[in-house]
Amino acid sequence: MDIDAFVSAHRPVWDRLEDLIRRRRSLDGAEVDELVDLYQRVATHLSLVRSASADPILVGRLSALVARARSAVTGAHTPAWREFIRFFTVSFPVVAYRARWWWLGTTVAFLLVSTVVAAWVAGNPGVQASIATPAEIDQLVNHDFADYYSEHPAASFAGQVWTNNAWVAMQMIIMAILLGLPIPYLLWQNALNVAVSAGLMAAHGKLDIFFGLITPHGLLELTAVFLAAAVGMRLGWTVVDPGPRKRGEVLAEQGRAVMSVALGLVVVLFVSGLIEGLVTPSSLPTWARVGIGVVAEAAFLAYVIFFGRRAVAAQETGDLERAPDLAPTAG
């Protein structure tokens, strides 16, 4: 091969490919097609040069050009900040939105069980006596329940609450490994804990204090727990009914989607922990504290519905492995 003649004949192609690579984010449709074609041609040139020439400079230049063209054609990984934005505008909300019926069912079942058990406890002195002694109950309803939210420094308490709530939600996620089978039991245990406290407070005329203290943070906190439980149980149901696709494929996809929820709930529970540590024990009037909790809950649900519905319309699944790379597109 006459290397000088080869370079002279193909240099315009290489220069044109260089130009297209530089402008890859603003190419029109025809230029995108040209970029792909030139990438393939220059890759062939590189193969020829490697087999017929010992010129390391030319081989190096063409190797670098082909590598850059391959990146432009197949797509480069998105910057970290774009991945972050995509996660919170697509991956997390779409999984939550797709699990909305499981989520709603979990919420209704929990509230129904809690209400029934709380009413049973409140209306039966014998049940109350089996739970604790009169002195212990008096201590709980008149001191301990309210003091729990103010006996520690706010910042420290918020950190403890966040850690505890995150652990409860993570238990739900972890149980997804067991196909979600233990999740109803965990929900039952948490429903009993809430119901017993509510029943004892109601029996002593303290139900207003109960809701005044638990509502500001409890709305968002329990919503996060219900979501974690819903996606965990939905993953288990995938094994029973995978639909028209292969069971292993759907299970892997749903498993990765569950991890999206696990990561997203870290932030949600952090907000809930801040409210519980800073707002619940504050000197604000009850209506203001409850109002903050309602606003936080409404904002979260609106966020999931808006971004989740939009992502579903774009046929997103929340699968972390399906996040698109950047690729040249027609302008």
Side-chain angles (χ1 to χ4, degrees):
M1 175 190 291
D2 184 337
I3 196 64
D4 291 332
F6 184 84
V7 170
S8 178
H10 296 295
R11 185 188 299 276
V13 173
W14 303 341
D15 291 343
R16 175 59 176 168
L17 182 57
E18 287 267 14
D19 177 61
L20 292 175
I21 292 172
R22 282 195 298 269
R23 298 188 296 107
R24 62 186 179 277
R25 299 188 186 280
S26 60
L27 302 181
D28 59 28
E31 288 173 326
V32 168
D33 292 338
E34 184 183 6
L35 171 62
V36 174
D37 177 63
L38 293 183
Y39 159 62
Q40 295 171 335
R41 289 168 61 184
V42 175
T44 301
H45 297 166
L46 174 60
S47 178
L48 292 173
V49 170
R50 279 177 170 165
S51 62
S53 172
D55 187 342
I57 296 178
L58 181 59
V59 170
R61 179 193 172 186
L62 291 182
S63 295
L65 182 58
V66 168
R68 291 170 56 208
R70 182 185 303 112
S71 175
V73 169
T74 61
H77 288 299
T78 57
W81 66 269
R82 290 192 180 181
E83 298 236 358
F84 180 84
I85 292 176
R86 174 181 166 77
F87 177 82
F88 282 105
T89 58
V90 176
S91 301
F92 174 54
V94 75
V95 176
Y97 186 77
R98 286 184 179 277
R100 62 192 181 279
W101 299 120
W102 286 86
W103 189 6
L104 179 61
T106 301
T107 303
V108 171
F110 184 97
L111 294 178
L112 181 61
V113 169
S114 298
T115 300
V116 170
V117 174
W120 179 56
V121 171
N124 290 274
V127 174
Q128 298 168 31
S130 69
I131 294 172
T133 66
E136 290 172 335
I137 293 176
D138 181 74
Q139 179 68 24
L140 170 68
V141 300
N142 291 308
H143 303 285
D144 292 350
F145 189 83
D147 291 346
Y148 169 78
Y149 297 100
S150 57
E151 62 184 2
H152 301 290
S156 173
F157 183 57
Q160 291 177 338
V161 167
W162 179 42
T163 302
N164 178 71
N165 292 343
W167 169 238
V168 172
M170 289 308 103
Q171 281 182 295
M172 303 293 180
I173 297 295
I174 292 169
M175 290 304 105
I177 299 174
L178 300 177
L179 305 182
L181 295 177
I183 291 178
Y185 175 75
L186 292 175
L187 289 171
W188 167 255
Q189 291 294 107
N190 281 276
L192 288 184
N193 289 336
V194 172
V196 167
S197 295
L200 293 176
M201 295 290 284
H204 291 77
K206 302 283 187 178
L207 199 57
D208 57 332
I209 296 177
F210 174 83
F211 283 114
L213 289 172
I214 202 172
T215 302
H217 63 275
L219 287 173
L220 192 58
E221 176 185 306
L222 288 176
T223 296
V225 171
F226 298 155
L227 174 56
V231 296
M233 291 188 290
R234 186 169 182 248
L235 175 64
W237 184 251
T238 297
V239 177
V240 178
D241 182 19
R245 299 164 60 195
K246 292 181 180 179
R247 181 172 280 103
E249 177 185 340
V250 178
L251 187 60
E253 179 182 283
Q254 287 299 316
R256 291 188 293 268
V258 166
M259 293 311 300
S260 294
V261 168
L263 295 173
L265 288 184
V266 170
V267 177
V268 177
L269 290 171
F270 176 70
V271 174
S272 170
L274 286 179
I275 294 174
E276 185 167 358
L278 303 176
V279 175
T280 299
S282 72
S283 58
L284 291 172
T286 300
W287 65 265
R289 290 185 282 109
V290 171
I292 290 173
V294 170
V295 168
E297 172 76 357
F300 177 62
L301 294 178
Y303 153 75
V304 168
I305 292 171
F306 176 78
F307 287 105
R309 182 181 293 170
R310 187 174 69 173
V312 166
Q315 298 185 332
E316 294 282 356
T317 66
D319 187 343
L320 294 176
E321 287 196 359
R322 291 184 60 185
D325 289 332
L326 291 178
T329 57

